[in-house]
Amino acid sequence: MKMMKTIPALPVQNIEESVKFYSEKLGFTAPYYDDGFAKVVRDEIEIHLWASSDVNWKNKGLSLAADPICSGAESFLAGTASCRIEVQGIDELYEEYKKQGVIYSAGTVVEEQPWGDREFPALDHHRNLLTFYEEI
């Protein structure tokens, strides 16, 4: 037995808007997408986006105790995920994403970490955290 690959799956509220963001801001392409799912790729990296767009939970009110939230695709899940992506050329990618306005905050820089990499965080339009790192 051998594990071969991992693919992060991030919750987003709108697949079409997300494909546009990942394409225009992050440089990914979308070889496949529909209303509920998208596969975006850049170089060797693949990320899956899934529709977290169920808003029925908003109408539950007092019935929430008897009828709990359970679809697994509630809209409030978008923006709650994160992943780490290994890259080559961390400084160049940082500059690219800084120009695109997707860096975590104005004070974000590429930082050396004690565990042996240099990294910086970025956010997608739903605030899912994407940490890009390069081994030292």
Side-chain angles (χ1 to χ4, degrees):
M1 196 284 289
K2 177 181 175 182
M3 292 188 192
M4 300 292 292
K5 181 179 179 180
T6 184
I7 300 173
L10 306 177
V12 297
Q13 288 182 357
N14 182 295
I15 295 292
E16 189 170 335
E17 288 176 8
S18 297
V19 166
K20 183 178 178 181
F21 179 88
Y22 274 78
S23 298
E24 293 177 2
K25 298 288 188 177
L26 299 176
F28 284 76
T29 60
Y32 177 83
Y33 73 95
D34 59 33
D35 290 341
F37 174 83
K39 174 181 172 178
V40 295
V41 297
R42 179 171 174 173
D43 301 321
E44 303 300 315
I45 299 304
E46 180 175 329
I47 298 174
H48 291 176
L49 307 173
W50 57 276
S52 176
S53 55
D54 180 356
V55 294
N56 290 328
W57 61 273
K58 292 181 178 182
N59 301 320
K60 290 195 180 253
L62 296 177
S63 71
L64 186 59
D67 185 21
I69 298 168
C70 61
S71 79
E74 287 80 19
S75 60
F76 61 78
L77 294 173
T80 63
S82 67
C83 66
R84 294 178 55 81
I85 300 169
E86 185 176 10
V87 302
Q88 290 178 342
I90 191 85
D91 296 306
E92 295 85 357
L93 185 64
Y94 171 81
E95 290 301 324
E96 175 186 334
Y97 285 175
K98 187 175 180 180
K99 289 177 188 172
Q100 291 294 341
V102 297
I103 300 299
Y104 185 80
S105 70
T108 296
V109 295
V110 178
E111 293 185 283
E112 188 171 321
Q113 300 297 339
W115 48 86
D117 67 37
R118 296 178 66 234
E119 64 184 50
F120 72 89
L123 297 172
D124 75 8
H125 65 302
H126 289 298
R127 298 192 60 80
N128 288 307
L129 177 65
L130 309 170
T131 301
F132 297 91
Y133 73 95
E134 183 172 40
E135 291 184 1
I136 298 173

